[in-house]
Structures are given as C-alpha cells and as structure tokens.
Amino acid sequence: MQRIAVFTSGGDAPGMNACIRAVVRTGIAMGKEVYGIRRGYAGMIEEDLFRMEKSSVSNIIQLGGTILQSARSEEFKTPEGRKKAYEVLQKHGIEGVVAIGGDGTFRGARIFMDEYPDIALIGVPGTIDNDLYGTDFTIGYDTAINTAMNAIDNIKDTANAHNRLFFIEVMGRDAGFIALRSAIATGAEAVLIPEDKTEMEELINMLEDNFHKKKRASIVVVAEGDDAGGAFQIAAQVKEKCPQFDIRCTVLGHIQRGGRPTCMERVLASRLGMEAVKALLVGTKSVMVGEIHRQIVFTPFEQATKYHQRINPDLIEMVELLA
Ligand code: F6P
C-alpha cells in the first residue's frame, strides 16, 4: 500500500484536526503518500481530494472543527454513490483510508467494504456524543464536556443570584454522556438522559422539597434526546405544577461542538490517528481503533455499529446522592 487517504465525516468534533495531523505525519514517516478528502463521503464521490504534506497539518493541533470539513452524505447511502466513490479512489491509486467519524460513518464504511473489499478502511471514533462501542472516550467528548461544564458554571452564578431554577439542555441526540458528566462536574441537582426513564413526579417532588428547604437555585441538566422532551418542554411541565418556581432555560447547542481541544483530547486524537495508520499498513481493515483502559483496541465495524457504549449507572446514582 503506497497511497492512503483521510477524511472526517458526520458531526465535527474538537480534536479531529489533531487526528488528521497524526494520520498525515505517521503516513509520511512510514514512507507513504497521504491524501486528504474534503467533506467526508460527499467529497470522495465528488473527487474533492488533494495531496497532503507534513506542512499541510502544521499549526492545526490546537484548532477545533476540521480542516477537511465534514458532511453527512445521502448519496453515499446509495450503491451508485458508493460506486462513484470507489472509482475515485481507484483513479488516484488509494488503497487505504482512515475515516474519522461516528456510527453513521462506520455504517457507511462497513457496507462500502463489503462491496469493495480491495479498499482497506479503518475508523477512528470522532463525535462529541461519546456513544460509540469499542472505546472509553471518543474524540471530541472531553472538550465538549469541559465546554458544557464552563457554561453551566456561568449559569450557576446567575441562578444563585436570583434563586432561579435552570433547565440546561446539552447535546446528545441519543446519548446522555455529555449530560451526565457535565451534571456531576457542576454539582447539578438532577440530570435527565435518554438511557434512564425520566420520572416527572420524582423530579418535581425533589425540586419542591428543595424549595421548602429554602434551596431555591437549582440546575437540571437535560440531554437533548431525553424521553420527556427538551429543556423547554420539561420546564413547561414543571412550571404548570409549580408556578412558584422562577424558571429559566438555556440550550447550549453547537457551542459544545467547537473550541480548542483539551490536552486529553489532543493526546487521544494523536494516538488513535497514529495507531490507525500503523494498523492499516500491516493489513488491518474494517475495524474502529479505540482506547480502552489506556490500551489500543480494534473493534470490527460490525460490532462498533451494532452496539452502543453503555452509561455507568454508578454515575447516575452519584448525581442523585451528591445533589
Ligand atoms: O452527533 C453529534 C451531534 O452534535 C449531536 O449531539 C447532535 O444531536 C447533532 O450532532 C447535531 O447535528 P447537526 O449539527 O447536524 O444539527
């Protein structure tokens, strides 16, 4: 294998640039030519790729976003789209690809590799949601929880100043990892996540109890995908039952997706990028590279896309116990 390529796909995540840098520099250090594909599978189909040198990734390790940009491609979901992508790789003599993204990216990769087994593809987990099976942490998660934590700290100041109850919505369409850790780190009164059924009555009882004990400033962190709804919907239900509460809502939104990656993020992203290339060059393919208990682990795409990382129930208990 003489020529490899790298792309980022799905929701961008801080640390993706550090990973791109590691892929490019490891590839070049091992005597290979490295190409960057812009905008994920969409760019692959549209032949939007370019040769990368060591200098192409200078001064990017500290940047959020992704210099290769990202996309979610509908066309790649079709056999015709994948055929076009394959032909582009063939035309440029690219035999190995590192895909940095989430489960949607790996689902696409798995089908692609079934259809075109002569292309070797390795995945690197990049999503702020941390919901991927096969790694303790995904690229982007550590930065996102620190961003959420800092924002919630700020909101706590004003919540305390006015004795207000805040519902703060964090990202996580199907997963409560961001909500759970940011809730623990900010000493929130409650956390509502999709993995744990929300009992509205229990929540209201707890908040009323606090109110009667004169604890009137409270923070409830809500994952956007919670079964009871988003922050505004939940707040409306609480207000209806407890009109005495002075309630405000904040949706943190895409602020969690950007920003300078933390130190942990940069190190993880660099390590996974380097290991992905090393593995690719010894013939490994159709796996996601992750880190579990600080060891590098390869999980077949089939499993990485079938299972989700599970929430540790001890952490949910911790929020309740320490509130
Ligand atoms: O998957 C990452 C994520 O940030 C989710 O937490 C969120 O629900 C989604 O992407 C938002 O996607 P978009 O940027 O396309 O609105």
Side-chain angles (χ1 to χ4, degrees):
M1 185 179 298
Q2 194 44 39
R3 208 169 269 182
I4 64 171
V6 57
F7 68 85
T8 48
S9 164
D12 61 296
M16 280 183 163
N17 280 324
C19 189
I20 295 168
R21 173 179 176 271
V23 169
V24 171
R25 296 215 165 153
T26 307
I28 292 172
M30 298 183 107
K32 307 298 168 191
E33 290 173 18
V34 186
Y35 279 70
I37 300 171
R38 294 189 191 90
R39 296 177 295 108
Y41 292 121
M44 197 186 278
I45 292 168
E46 292 162 30
E47 205 177 349
D48 191 359
L49 73 176
F50 62 105
R51 173 90 181 263
M52 296 184 86
E53 306 296 343
K54 259 185 95 170
S55 59
S56 318
V57 290
S58 293
N59 209 21
I60 66 164
I61 195 167
Q62 75 280 18
L63 302 179
T66 156
I67 60 160
L68 293 177
Q69 298 192 290
S70 194
R72 295 185 175 107
S73 168
E74 286 304 316
E75 198 179 353
F76 194 76
K77 290 182 184 158
T78 67
E80 297 75 28
R82 291 191 294 274
K83 184 166 180 282
K84 278 194 213 164
Y86 175 72
E87 285 165 0
V88 169
L89 296 180
Q90 281 264 298
K91 181 176 165 191
H92 290 271
I94 294 166
E95 294 166 283
V97 181
V98 177
I100 309 166
D103 56 356
T105 306
F106 303 150
R107 262 196 299 275
R110 204 185 60 153
I111 300 168
F112 188 58
M113 288 207 55
D114 285 347
E115 291 170 348
Y116 304 104
D118 50 324
I119 301 288
L121 215 144
I122 286 200
V124 181
T127 163
I128 63 165
D129 290 349
N130 203 43
D131 55 348
L132 292 177
Y133 179 83
T135 191
D136 286 339
F137 298 111
T138 55
I139 296 170
Y141 177 61
D142 189 58
T143 308
I145 52 179
N146 278 286
T147 302
M149 178 186 75
N150 289 328
I152 298 170
D153 282 349
N154 288 2
I155 292 168
K156 276 187 85 165
D157 291 344
T158 174
N160 283 317
H162 287 272
N163 274 337
R164 280 177 173 157
L165 164 60
F166 267 86
F167 288 88
I168 304 174
E169 185 176 306
V170 297
M171 273 189 164
R173 199 169 15 208
D174 312 302
F177 292 94
I178 298 176
L180 188 53
R181 287 210 183 230
S182 61
I184 293 169
T186 54
E189 274 60 40
V191 62
L192 310 180
I193 56 175
E195 295 87 344
D196 188 38
K197 192 171 166 5
T198 295
E199 303 293 350
M200 284 306 292
E201 215 179 298
E202 260 177 44
L203 175 71
I204 290 171
N205 288 344
M206 184 272 286
L207 293 169
E208 279 187 323
D209 197 40
N210 283 352
F211 192 83
H212 292 130
K213 289 179 187 151
K214 305 258 183 282
K215 183 181 187 314
R216 293 186 177 171
S218 293
I219 300 289
V220 178
V221 180
V222 183
E224 64 175 324
D226 187 61
D227 51 288
F232 281 97
Q233 280 166 286
I234 293 170
Q237 291 179 54
V238 173
K239 186 72 182 172
E240 205 187 322
K241 293 264 164 57
C242 313
Q244 72 277 24
F245 290 169
D246 188 7
I247 299 180
R248 293 290 184 276
C249 291
T250 305
V251 177
L252 297 187
H254 286 77
I255 191 172
Q256 298 157 95
R257 282 253 290 267
R260 293 164 76 86
T262 62
C263 179
M264 294 294 279
E265 202 82 87
R266 299 179 200 190
V267 175
L268 174 73
S270 301
R271 186 176 187 206
L272 295 183
M274 179 185 76
E275 295 294 343
V277 174
K278 282 186 178 174
L280 204 54
L281 297 182
V282 296
T284 312
K285 57 182 187 173
S286 213
V287 296
M288 182 194 89
V289 57
E291 198 190 66
I292 299 179
H293 301 144
R294 303 204 178 135
Q295 301 299 315
I296 290 296
V297 176
F298 296 97
T299 304
F301 279 146
E302 210 185 320
Q303 288 176 31
T305 53
K306 188 167 167 195
Y307 304 112
H308 280 274
Q309 175 155 195
R310 298 177 85 109
I311 289 275
N312 179 351
D314 294 352
L315 298 185
I316 301 179
E317 190 198 354
M318 207 197 298
V319 178
E320 290 162 9
L321 215 80
L322 303 185

